[in-house]
Amino acid sequence: MLFRRIYQFLIVYCLGVTGLLAIKYATGLSNYVIPDLTLLFDTARRMLTGYFFDVLNTLSVTVLGQMVSIFMAFFVGIIGRKSSWLGSFIKVMAYNIQAYPIVALAPIIFILMGDGFLSRLLIASMICYFPLLLSVLGIMASPIKDIEHFYIATGRMRWQLEVKIRAFENLNKLTTVIAGSATLAMAGTIVAEFIAADQGVGYSIRIALYQSDLARILVALFSIGIIISVYQGILETVGEQIKTKWFAPKGGELL
């Protein structure tokens, strides 16, 4: 899965660069507007290492923000799984908040908290959290009647067992959602760095944008794509190992 993620990104990236070059030569644009391959490779030679470390800095915030959002999504999802007043209130509140663009809150967050680590972490967590929460709520609020009926009838049902059954039966969805949320967390961190930060690849892209240097932006996007592809590939591999372990026979024991 790791190598598949990387070559899929490389295909998409090459197609994107090819499209830009086609526009460049079809319209006769200069290197100042769209760089040619020579300028792009020269920029990559000079800037790729620096951007690589910038992306690693961004990734550290991304991973932490994703962990916070996963914990919060499962915590709220488990509380809101019931059809009680509290559960209904949590679900309605989650749907309504998700409808509001989180990016619009970013300037307010930076005004209140400054442009440091906590601001980037909060915005990354918020952008990653709400889509993840909606998926977890949908899974946790959907009973697995064929299995849960047995434990309810025998009086053995507990909330921990209920959560475990629903997570087990929807393990493919959960692993897919968690792996996909890595992209949202990375996007949230980059947005936070782009708006107001003094480090990270989003900050580097902002500088390149102010200089109208598309070559640097393309090199930065290449660094982001490679690293996020590796990170998602690792998450998917771990998810497959977890599914293999959970689905493996355990001497006839249930769950």
Side-chain angles (χ1 to χ4, degrees):
M1 287 190 178
L2 177 60
F3 293 106
R4 185 182 66 185
R5 279 284 182 180
I6 293 175
Y7 76 69
Q8 285 175 345
F9 163 73
L10 290 176
I11 291 173
V12 173
Y13 184 83
C14 290
L15 288 175
V17 172
T18 302
L20 286 175
L21 292 176
I23 295 173
K24 170 184 172 65
Y25 293 118
T27 57
L29 296 174
S30 67
N31 283 345
Y32 180 78
V33 181
I34 298 179
D36 59 14
L37 287 178
T38 302
L39 179 58
L40 188 59
F41 286 134
D42 180 66
T43 303
R45 179 182 58 81
R46 292 184 291 106
M47 307 298 300
L48 189 59
T49 301
Y51 284 155
F52 176 78
F53 287 106
D54 287 340
V55 177
L56 289 182
N57 182 283
T58 301
L59 183 65
S60 64
V61 181
T62 297
V63 173
L64 187 56
Q66 187 183 17
M67 292 173 61
V68 171
S69 64
I70 290 172
F71 172 79
M72 290 300 299
F74 274 91
F75 178 76
V76 177
I78 290 172
I79 295 175
R81 76 189 188 282
K82 294 293 186 180
S83 299
S84 61
W85 178 88
L86 179 60
S88 300
F89 175 77
I90 290 175
K91 283 182 276 191
V92 170
M93 184 174 62
Y95 294 140
N96 289 336
I97 294 177
Q98 171 60 21
Y100 194 84
I102 302 301
V103 177
L105 299 175
I108 299 176
I109 294 173
F110 280 112
I111 290 173
L112 295 177
M113 303 181 64
D115 58 358
F117 170 78
L118 289 179
S119 299
R120 293 193 292 160
L121 178 63
L122 180 59
I123 294 174
S125 301
M126 290 174 65
I127 291 179
C128 180
Y129 165 71
F130 289 106
L132 190 60
L133 173 62
L134 298 182
S135 299
V136 173
L137 273 175
I139 290 172
M140 291 299 169
S142 301
I144 311 298
K145 296 181 180 179
D146 294 341
I147 300 176
E148 293 181 18
H149 173 73
F150 169 77
Y151 291 99
I152 294 173
T154 56
R156 296 166 57 190
M157 179 59 77
R158 300 290 184 272
W159 72 266
Q160 298 95 328
L161 182 57
E162 180 181 270
V163 169
K164 190 174 182 180
I165 291 172
R166 295 178 186 182
F168 178 81
E169 293 297 320
N170 294 279
L171 193 56
N172 287 328
K173 294 180 182 179
L174 287 174
T175 54
T176 301
V177 166
I178 291 174
S181 68
T183 303
L184 292 174
M186 176 66 86
T189 309
I190 292 173
V191 167
E193 294 169 348
F194 186 86
I195 295 174
D198 56 2
Q199 56 184 322
V201 72
Y203 173 70
S204 300
I205 291 176
R206 185 179 65 181
I207 293 176
L209 179 63
Y210 289 162
Q211 297 173 347
S212 298
D213 195 335
L214 183 57
R216 289 192 178 190
I217 294 175
L218 291 174
V219 173
L221 292 178
F222 178 81
S223 303
I224 294 169
I226 287 294
I227 291 181
I228 194 63
S229 297
V230 171
Y231 178 51
Q232 283 189 311
I234 292 173
L235 288 178
E236 290 176 347
T237 301
V238 172
E240 287 297 322
Q241 292 177 348
I242 292 175
K243 286 188 287 185
T244 301
K245 181 179 179 180
W246 274 41
F247 282 109
K250 297 182 179 179
E253 294 183 6
L254 293 174
L255 300 176

